Amino acid sequence: MGPRGDGVRFISSGVKLPRASPAPAPAHALLSAALPPFAHIGRAIDAAARRVAASFPRVPAARAETPAAPLPRRHGKDGGGAGGEERVLISEVAVRGKDGEPLERPELEEAAAAALRACRPNAALTVREVQEDVHRVVESGLFRSCMPVAVDTRDGIRLVFEVEPNQDFHGLVCEGANMLPSKFLDDSFRDRHGKIINIRHLDQVIKSINGWYQERGLTGMVSYAEILSGGILRLQVSEAEVNNINIRFLDRRTGEPTIGKTKPETILQQLTTKKGQAYNRAQVKRDVETILTMGIMEDVTIIPQPVGDSNKVDLVMNLVERKSGGFSAGGGISSGITNGPLSGLIGSFAYSQRNVFGRNKKLNLSLERGQIDSIFRLNYTDPWIDGDNKRTSRTVMVQNSRTPGTLIHGGEHPDHSPITIGRVTAGIEYSRPFRPKWSGTLGLIFQHAGARDDKGNPMIRDFYNSQLTASGNPYDDTLLAKLESVYTDSGDHSSTMFVFNVEQGLPILPEWLSFNRVTARLRQSYEIGPARLLLSASGGHVEGNFSPHEAFAIGGTNSVRGYEEGAVGSGRSYAVGSGEVSCRLFGPLEGVVFGDYGSDLGSGPTVPGDPAGARGKPGSGCGYGVGIRVDSPLGPLRLEYAFNDKQARRFHFGVGHRN
């Protein structure tokens, strides 16, 4: 507390008083009930209303014995007529304490007098008008009760409003507010110490407390408020608490309960809502989205159900499982093949199982085959290792691939036979989020790689006599330790992204390669009216003894457009920058204007065998052009027409976002 609140204690939930109020509202009432009125205000007003008629003397409509001056009459529905209310002429109006004595604080007397509307000296009043002024005095929030007393004096009828002020505020006890921060209450009552308790202010505080719960998706409210002796305010807050979480599987076709394949503990592990926590609607909604992103559910709903008359709710989670596995086939385009109309086409066949053992483990088996390319992959992923509270995932992978070597070792010479790079890779990776929007990956990967000719025979040197392996053997063996950190602002491709990757070759055996490779990628977008500016940059460097085919290739659809794949250069180091301005044209069609620049930073000759120098690659270049993109289930389909700084022009076609 600040200096103004010295001596005031605010207790959130640690102090418990003997319950002098009804039990807190049950959970089902919390879901829809409004704030109950203060009981003592209603009782005070009702009691005053009942006594007004008894204490207020009545004047006969006509007195035969002593003619009196006619009473003032108001025009309107109260004015003279058979149905009009009887009026009494008041000579004096006063405000006094409950004992009939003047109030100790003149400002309270002024506040009560200011609340009076109809009751004025020399006014003819009805009982109803007096009742309305009693209501106004009590509703000012400063008084516990207000009682009108009519006294017949020699000068006429004197109307006295006897009021009982509220106590001075000296402290607050708030029970049951397990979620509400103490500072919230501190700030609400910080400047109220020693001042009269104002029910209007208290009503605003209660509304703000209820609003705090509502804004955060929490089910909670102030269910009771009272003023204790000594000027202590007591607030009872009722928060809905999760009693239990029940999982129910429903049949996809009939909607009837059925037996699910997924283990219940696998679902419960994904939930941030736990038993015993406050029921948070926003948190439950996020949990539904989390379950859907697992990829094994077709539909997820969570329904709260009250538990008796308590503040607890049971959450019933209805799950509809999707088909967990199956075969698929498709096709694609290899960006590393540029010669021949059909050379880049790839066919694929895959089998996937998304819910192995009912524990959300993923098994993927795929085969891709083209005229030159072929890739066989086997991945087994556990998205959340059992018993780990950091959401660590584990992936075991085995891959056998054959890809074209044209990016580094391509050539136009007729005697230059095509080169393919064969790789057998096996490894294990662990990934986990370690900060909001940040994730990290640590892995260990073994690779056995070498070059082959079009007949499948191993090659050590190419047509230009550039070496194809770092060790001089037909194959290079590498054991890589990998560390990667990723920042993503959101899942949208146009959002901010930063990726930093470090790989270290471990020479456990003498013939294994030893090198260090560092790469980084950055992407940032800006909205400019109806258009969007997307800036991206990437770069990297390799230090040590590495295979020539692992050099950084520059140029192509995902690098510098306007050049063939790898035609700008290949080096130990590289930097590529790109800028795009895109604008939605109509429907799913989008237009784009772009510019790219890339360079090997003069590192081409340092690659073993200098393959870029042997092929006369410039080492740096830029491109610019225009294109269109169409949204599709496979991702955006990109068709671009680009010019490079050598005055050459080229079409580029791609599927999905640029790397």
Side-chain angles (χ1 to χ4, degrees):
M1 289 289 298
R4 292 179 295 173
D6 292 343
V8 182
R9 296 181 61 204
F10 295 92
I11 305 167
S12 175
S13 60
V15 175
K16 300 294 183 181
L17 298 181
R19 188 175 295 278
S21 61
H28 62 272
L30 290 179
L31 299 175
S32 59
L35 174 67
F38 294 106
H40 70 274
I41 295 179
R43 289 196 299 268
I45 294 176
D46 293 341
R50 287 194 300 268
R51 292 187 54 187
V52 166
S55 63
F56 197 62
R58 298 182 179 275
V59 179
R63 300 180 65 178
E65 299 83 9
T66 307
L71 295 176
R73 297 280 183 173
R74 289 188 180 182
H75 298 286
K77 67 177 183 178
D78 296 330
E85 294 186 50
E86 192 174 21
R87 291 184 173 276
V88 175
L89 181 63
I90 302 300
S91 62
E92 182 184 357
V93 177
V95 176
R96 293 291 184 267
K98 190 175 182 181
D99 53 2
E101 298 297 324
L103 294 172
E104 296 180 0
R105 298 182 178 180
E107 65 271 16
L108 291 178
E109 184 174 332
E110 294 173 0
L116 301 177
R117 295 289 184 270
C119 297
R120 293 286 186 269
N122 301 318
L125 305 175
T126 65
V127 172
R128 181 163 52 86
E129 288 174 331
V130 176
Q131 291 175 345
E132 290 172 352
D133 271 357
V134 168
H135 278 260
R136 294 187 182 101
V137 171
V138 176
E139 289 173 353
S140 69
L142 299 173
F143 304 97
R144 179 178 179 84
S145 64
C146 176
M147 190 64 62
V149 178
V151 181
D152 197 356
T153 68
R154 184 176 60 182
D155 298 328
I157 294 177
R158 182 171 184 258
L159 182 60
V160 179
F161 289 90
E162 295 182 353
V163 297
E164 181 183 2
N166 291 327
Q167 304 177 62
D168 290 341
F169 176 70
H170 290 295
L172 171 71
V173 174
C174 185
E175 297 181 3
N178 299 313
M179 299 288 292
L180 187 68
S182 298
K183 187 178 183 302
F184 185 89
L185 296 173
D186 291 348
D187 294 341
S188 299
F189 291 95
R190 186 177 298 277
D191 59 349
R192 310 302 299 182
H193 178 60
K195 297 181 180 180
I196 199 80
I197 295 176
N198 191 322
I199 302 302
R200 284 182 176 272
H201 170 260
L202 182 57
D203 181 61
Q204 292 299 319
V205 171
I206 291 175
K207 288 180 179 178
S208 66
I209 292 175
N210 294 342
W212 184 91
Y213 283 97
Q214 184 176 4
E215 290 170 2
R216 288 155 180 80
L218 298 169
T219 303
M221 62 177 290
V222 178
S223 57
Y224 189 77
E226 64 177 341
I227 304 175
L228 304 176
S229 60
I232 303 298
L233 282 176
R234 175 176 175 266
L235 300 180
Q236 177 68 48
V237 176
S238 296
E239 297 176 346
E241 178 184 313
V242 177
N243 178 65
N244 205 356
I245 302 176
N246 302 315
I247 293 178
R248 181 170 60 185
F249 292 95
L250 303 179
D251 186 84
R252 295 175 60 196
R253 296 179 178 83
T254 65
E256 297 296 325
T258 186
I259 299 175
K261 298 178 181 179
T262 307
K263 303 293 183 184
E265 56 269 23
T266 300
I267 300 297
L268 295 175
Q269 180 180 236
Q270 301 286 336
L271 303 181
T272 57
T273 302
K274 303 295 182 183
K275 180 178 179 180
Q277 290 183 350
Y279 173 57
N280 187 328
R281 296 185 300 276
Q283 185 178 12
V284 168
K285 182 179 179 181
R286 290 193 297 269
D287 284 338
V288 169
E289 295 172 352
T290 298
I291 299 301
L292 288 173
T293 57
M294 294 171 65
I296 59 177
M297 297 297 164
E298 190 173 287
D299 186 49
V300 179
T301 57
I302 297 181
I303 303 174
Q305 294 184 345
V307 180
D309 294 330
S310 66
N311 294 335
K312 298 183 177 182
V313 295
D314 283 340
L315 300 183
V316 179
M317 178 177 290
N318 293 321
L319 303 174
V320 178
E321 291 180 306
R322 64 191 304 182
K323 189 177 180 181
S324 60
F327 294 93
S328 62
I333 296 176
S334 171
S335 62
I337 302 177
T338 58
N339 295 323
L342 302 177
S343 301
L345 295 180
I346 298 176
S348 65
F349 178 81
Y351 171 79
S352 63
Q353 176 58 248
R354 290 184 290 263
N355 196 11
V356 179
F357 309 127
R359 297 188 177 276
N360 194 35
K361 302 181 190 298
K362 317 293 184 184
L363 176 65
N364 292 285
L365 180 67
S366 65
L367 174 64
E368 296 179 2
R369 180 70 179 176
Q371 184 176 346
I372 298 177
D373 295 51
S374 66
I375 303 176
F376 170 81
R377 295 189 185 96
L378 175 63
N379 288 354
Y380 178 75
T381 300
D382 185 351
W384 193 339
I385 299 175
D386 294 339
D388 178 78
N389 60 354
K390 302 296 184 180
R391 301 185 72 94
T392 303
S393 66
R394 176 178 55 217
T395 299
V396 179
M397 62 92 176
V398 176
Q399 178 175 297
N400 187 351
S401 65
R402 190 181 69 177
T403 57
T406 54
L407 293 177
I408 307 297
H409 298 280
E412 300 296 335
H413 198 282
D415 296 331
H416 188 281
S417 61
I419 297 175
T420 58
I421 306 299
R423 296 180 178 90
V424 177
T425 306
I428 184 170
E429 293 182 349
Y430 292 87
S431 300
R432 53 157 287 200
F434 57 88
R435 291 188 63 184
K437 302 182 181 180
W438 284 92
S439 63
T441 300
L442 182 65
L444 192 65
I445 303 169
F446 178 80
Q447 178 176 276
H448 176 76
R452 300 180 184 180
D453 60 18
D454 55 349
K455 297 179 180 179
N457 299 318
M459 297 179 62
I460 299 177
R461 293 186 177 273
D462 64 10
F463 176 80
Y464 296 92
N465 203 32
S466 298
Q467 63 187 86
L468 297 174
T469 60
S471 63
N473 299 321
Y475 295 95
D476 286 332
D477 292 329
T478 309
L479 180 63
L480 286 174
K482 172 185 176 182
L483 177 63
E484 183 178 74
S485 179
V486 179
Y487 171 87
T488 52
D489 190 38
S490 69
D492 189 349
H493 179 74
S494 63
S495 63
T496 301
M497 182 199 71
F498 176 71
V499 179
F500 182 75
N501 185 290
V502 178
E503 294 175 322
Q504 177 64 54
L506 305 177
I508 295 179
L509 296 180
E511 61 271 20
W512 289 6
L513 302 185
S514 175
F515 61 89
N516 179 267
R517 177 164 48 208
V518 178
T519 59
R521 288 186 290 128
L522 175 65
R523 183 181 67 221
Q524 176 69 57
S525 70
Y526 303 92
E527 298 291 336
I528 307 176
R532 184 176 69 244
L533 172 63
L534 180 63
L535 301 177
S536 61
S538 61
H541 177 71
V542 181
E543 191 67 40
N545 187 25
F546 70 105
S547 302
H549 54 76
E550 297 286 352
F552 298 113
I554 308 167
T557 303
N558 291 315
S559 180
V560 179
R561 285 162 285 192
Y563 282 90
E564 292 187 6
E565 304 298 325
V568 173
S570 54
R572 281 181 177 268
S573 305
Y574 89 104
V576 172
S578 176
E580 297 182 351
V581 177
S582 59
C583 184
R584 183 70 63 179
L585 300 179
F586 55 87
L589 189 64
E590 185 179 66
V592 61
V593 178
F594 60 84
D596 305 323
Y597 176 80
S599 171
D600 64 7
L601 305 177
S603 65
T606 65
V607 176
D610 188 14
R615 289 157 178 79
K617 296 181 180 180
S620 65
C622 64
Y624 57 92
V626 297
I628 57 173
R629 293 172 185 172
V630 181
D631 291 335
S632 75
L634 300 177
L637 304 179
R638 300 182 284 124
L639 178 61
E640 297 158 339
Y641 187 64
F643 300 83
N644 65 26
D645 53 347
K646 306 299 182 184
Q647 304 306 313
R649 60 194 68 182
R650 185 175 183 82
F651 276 104
H652 294 273
F653 178 76
V655 179
H657 295 286
R658 279 166 51 91
N659 295 332

